[in-house]
Amino acid sequence: MLPHLKFDSLSVSTVKQTTFANIVDQVLLLHIGPICSFLLSRPDDFLANSDIERWILHLSRNSIKEFTLENWKSHLYEMPSCFFSCQDMTHLDLYRCLLQPPSTFKGFRSLKSLCMENATLAQDVFKNLIVCCPLLKTLRLLNCDGLRHLKMDAPKLELLEVEVDEGVFEMVNLQNTLNLADVSITLAINDDLRQVPDSNLVQFFVHFPHIRRLTFGRNFLKYLAVRALPGKLPQPCLCLKFLSISIRFKALKEILAALCLLRSSPALQELEIFAHHEDRDVVGEVNSWLDDNQNCQFTELQRVKMISMSGGKHELDFIRFLLLSSPVLERMTVKPASYNGSSELLKKLFRFRRASLCAEIIYLDP
C-alpha cells in the first residue's frame, strides 16, 4: 500500500533468477491503492522499452501524481501514447526522452512542475505543452534539443531554469509571466550571436517585474547586450534580492549590461559574479566606465562573491568599484581562478578602500 515507489540501482535481488524488471512487475502486481509517485532510474541496467511502456500503462490507469524517468540508454526513450493520458499528474521529471504526443493531446491540466533534461521535443510540441498546462509553476529545460524559440505564456510560472549546451535561442519572448520570481538561463560557450540581432536587455525584463532571484549563466549577458544599453532599465527590478551573473571583463558591453542591472535593482542584497575567461581578446575599450559611475550607491547590498578571478585590471576595477559603492556591505568573498598571481591579488584586495566600516574580505584558495 506504499504510495511512493522508487526503483533505482539499489533495487536488486540476491536471487539470480529475479531481474530488475521482475522486481518492478511484482511490486506493481501486488500493490494495493493509489500510486502517488513513481521513480525509475537504472544506470547499470539496459531495460527493454516494452518493460517501461508496460509500467507506464499501469501507472496511467492508477492516477499517478508524480513521475520521474531517467533513461540511461545511448538512445532516447520515446514516451508511449498512454503516458499522455496521465491527467492527474502534478510533477514530471524526464531525462533522455523523446516527446511526440498524439494529435488528441490537450496538455497536462494538473501539472505544476516540469523538468526535462537532454530531452527532445519539437518547437510546436513545447508551445502546446506550456499553453495546455495552466497550473505550471516550475519549469526546467536543461540541454533540450529542438528548441530554438523560448516563447511561452505561463501566467502561474514562478521558477524558470534554462540551460542550452549547443546552439542559441533565435527568440526569447516571455509573455504573461508576471509571477516569475526565480529565473536562471545559461547559453552554450560557442553561441553565434549574429543569429539573434533582436535580443534586448530592456525587453527581457518587461514581463516579470516581481523577480526576486536572477541567474545569468555563461553568455546570456552577452546575448542580451547585443543591442544598445541604457543606463537603467525603464522599469526597475524592485523585488530583486539575489543576482548571479557571468561576465567577460574584457568586454565593455557586458560590464555595461551588469552595471545597468545593478543600477536597476535598488533592493539587491546578494551579488555573485563569475569571471568568464576566453583565449582570445574581446574587442572593446573598458577604461571609461569607472569614471562614469563614481556616484553609484548600492544601499542594500550586503554580500558579494567574486569567483574565478584572474587578477586582471578590469576585474580589480570592478571589485574596487563595488567596495566603494556599497555602504552596508558585510562580506565580500573572492576566489581566484588559479594560484598564479594569487598572492598579488590578495595584496591588492586588502589595500582597497571600503565604504562600509563593517565590510570584511574573505579570500578563498583556488
Side-chain angles (χ1 to χ4, degrees), residues 69-109:
L69 174 58
E70 297 178 356
N71 169 38
W72 297 92
K73 299 181 183 182
S74 58
H75 58 276
L76 298 176
Y77 173 72
E78 183 175 353
M79 302 302 294
S81 57
C82 61
F83 165 75
F84 297 97
S85 65
C86 300
Q87 288 300 304
D88 294 319
M89 194 156 47
T90 59
H91 293 76
L92 175 59
D93 194 340
L94 300 176
Y95 177 74
R96 291 191 55 75
C97 294
L98 172 63
L99 277 74
Q100 291 183 321
S103 58
T104 55
F105 177 62
K106 301 301 181 183
F108 297 113
R109 309 302 295 182

Side-chain angles (χ1 to χ4, degrees), residues 215-245:
T215 300
F216 285 165
R218 64 180 187 271
N219 273 355
F220 197 66
L221 197 63
K222 172 183 174 183
Y223 170 87
L224 291 175
V226 168
R227 294 174 62 179
L229 295 165
K232 284 185 178 181
L233 296 174
Q235 296 294 328
C237 302
L238 298 177
C239 302
L240 189 63
K241 304 288 186 181
F242 172 87
L243 175 63
S244 177
I245 48 181

Side-chain angles (χ1 to χ4, degrees), residues 213-217 242-246 270-274:
R213 292 180 61 88
L214 178 61
T215 300
F216 285 165
F242 172 87
L243 175 63
S244 177
I245 48 181
S246 175
E270 188 170 353
L271 174 64
E272 189 176 72
I273 293 180
F274 292 82

Side-chain angles (χ1 to χ4, degrees), residues 28-87:
L28 293 180
L29 178 65
L30 299 173
H31 192 273
I32 301 173
I35 300 176
C36 295
S37 67
F38 185 93
L39 181 147
L40 180 64
S41 175
R42 186 70 175 173
D44 56 345
D45 194 351
F46 293 95
L47 291 173
N49 287 353
S50 57
D51 289 333
I52 302 176
E53 183 173 351
R54 183 173 67 254
W55 301 331
I56 293 178
L57 177 61
H58 181 91
L59 295 172
S60 68
R61 298 168 176 171
N62 225 286
S63 301
I64 185 69
K65 297 288 193 302
E66 302 178 12
F67 180 71
T68 299
L69 174 58
E70 297 178 356
N71 169 38
W72 297 92
K73 299 181 183 182
S74 58
H75 58 276
L76 298 176
Y77 173 72
E78 183 175 353
M79 302 302 294
S81 57
C82 61
F83 165 75
F84 297 97
S85 65
C86 300
Q87 288 300 304

Side-chain angles (χ1 to χ4, degrees), residues 67 84 108 115 152 173 198 202 208-209 247 261 300 314 327 352 356:
F67 180 71
F84 297 97
F108 297 113
C115 177
M152 64 180 67
N173 189 357
D198 294 329
V202 175
F208 40 92
I247 305 179
L261 289 177
E300 300 294 326
H314 314 312
F352 288 156
S356 171

